[in-house]
Amino acid sequence: DKRNIISVVEKIGRGDQLMENERYVAHYVMYLVEIGKKISEMETPIQEFVKICNSYLYGKSFIFDNVSYDVIISHNWGKPVDLEELSSGEKQIVSLFSHLLLDGEQENYIVIDEPELSLSVDWQLRFLEDVCRLESCKLLCAVTHSPFIFENSLDSHTVDLMEVTGQ
């Protein structure tokens, strides 16, 4: 049976004419391929969430199990990590990106007061850029005291309120 299925898939790939009984196999193979594509599309946001969060974490990582559909956090040596054990900056990252990537909203208008709170300087330098790169981010407005939060590609889009107000 396995060889027959492989043979039908090869014929499909080459564009060969299929016999009647092979058309039934081809139908189910194509159905499975479509289901696989839909599952992959559904998993894209969670994979992006895991990728972004992992780019901020040190010594631990998010792991997405696409069989059980679970996301776990683990120390690099394998010990599980509870959300409560994350630093306040890590929690801020997880919270914001989970909302932006996993809540299903297609258009997010984001207003953040002092996004630098609890973030290291390295994280401040890239945090808002990462938010802006998301397809769902339609507008970002942030008020900050940090000289680092806009010290990146967003610098040309910043406004110094003291200069604008003359104060």
Side-chain angles (χ1 to χ4, degrees):
D1 289 341
K2 183 177 177 181
R3 280 180 276 182
N4 289 338
I5 293 170
I6 291 171
S7 172
V8 169
V9 170
E10 288 172 347
K11 281 185 171 183
I12 293 169
R14 290 190 306 264
D16 292 352
Q17 192 76 346
L18 298 175
M19 296 187 310
E20 186 173 342
N21 64 330
E22 293 173 327
R23 287 188 204 133
Y24 295 111
V25 174
H27 169 76
Y28 286 109
V29 168
M30 296 308 289
Y31 179 72
L32 290 174
V33 168
E34 288 302 314
I35 289 174
K37 286 179 185 177
K38 287 178 183 175
I39 290 171
S40 180
E41 288 171 13
M42 291 170 48
E43 290 177 350
T44 298
I46 191 85
Q47 290 172 341
E48 182 68 14
F49 168 75
V50 166
K51 178 182 170 187
I52 288 174
C53 288
N54 283 342
S55 73
Y56 285 91
L57 298 177
Y58 299 107
K60 50 191 116 101
S61 58
F62 279 75
I63 301 163
F64 172 56
D65 181 345
N66 65 350
V67 174
S68 66
Y69 240 65
D70 283 335
V71 175
I72 60 166
I73 311 167
S74 176
H75 286 285
N76 289 350
W77 61 87
K79 182 183 177 230
V81 176
D82 289 328
L83 277 174
E84 296 82 28
E85 295 176 54
L86 297 178
S87 71
S88 57
E90 291 169 333
K91 288 176 186 173
Q92 180 177 326
I93 298 292
V94 170
S95 176
L96 182 64
F97 286 110
S98 67
H99 286 293
L100 294 175
L101 289 163
L102 304 177
D103 73 358
E105 286 294 321
Q106 298 300 311
E107 295 184 351
N108 289 290
Y109 300 88
I110 305 153
V111 178
I112 304 176
D113 184 29
E114 300 187 35
E116 70 274 9
L117 295 180
S118 302
L119 299 181
S120 68
V121 172
D122 289 341
W123 290 4
Q124 289 179 38
L125 291 168
R126 55 187 277 247
F127 178 64
L128 293 183
E129 280 185 315
D130 286 346
V131 171
C132 286
R133 277 190 204 103
L134 299 178
E135 196 172 303
S136 67
C137 178
K138 300 303 177 192
L139 173 78
L140 173 66
C141 179
V143 179
T144 181
H145 297 282
S146 172
F148 305 108
I149 204 80
F150 289 109
E151 197 172 276
N152 48 42
S153 66
L154 301 176
D155 188 53
S156 63
H157 303 284
T158 62
V159 175
D160 186 332
L161 290 179
M162 292 182 78
E163 288 178 14
V164 172
T165 62
Q167 296 180 12

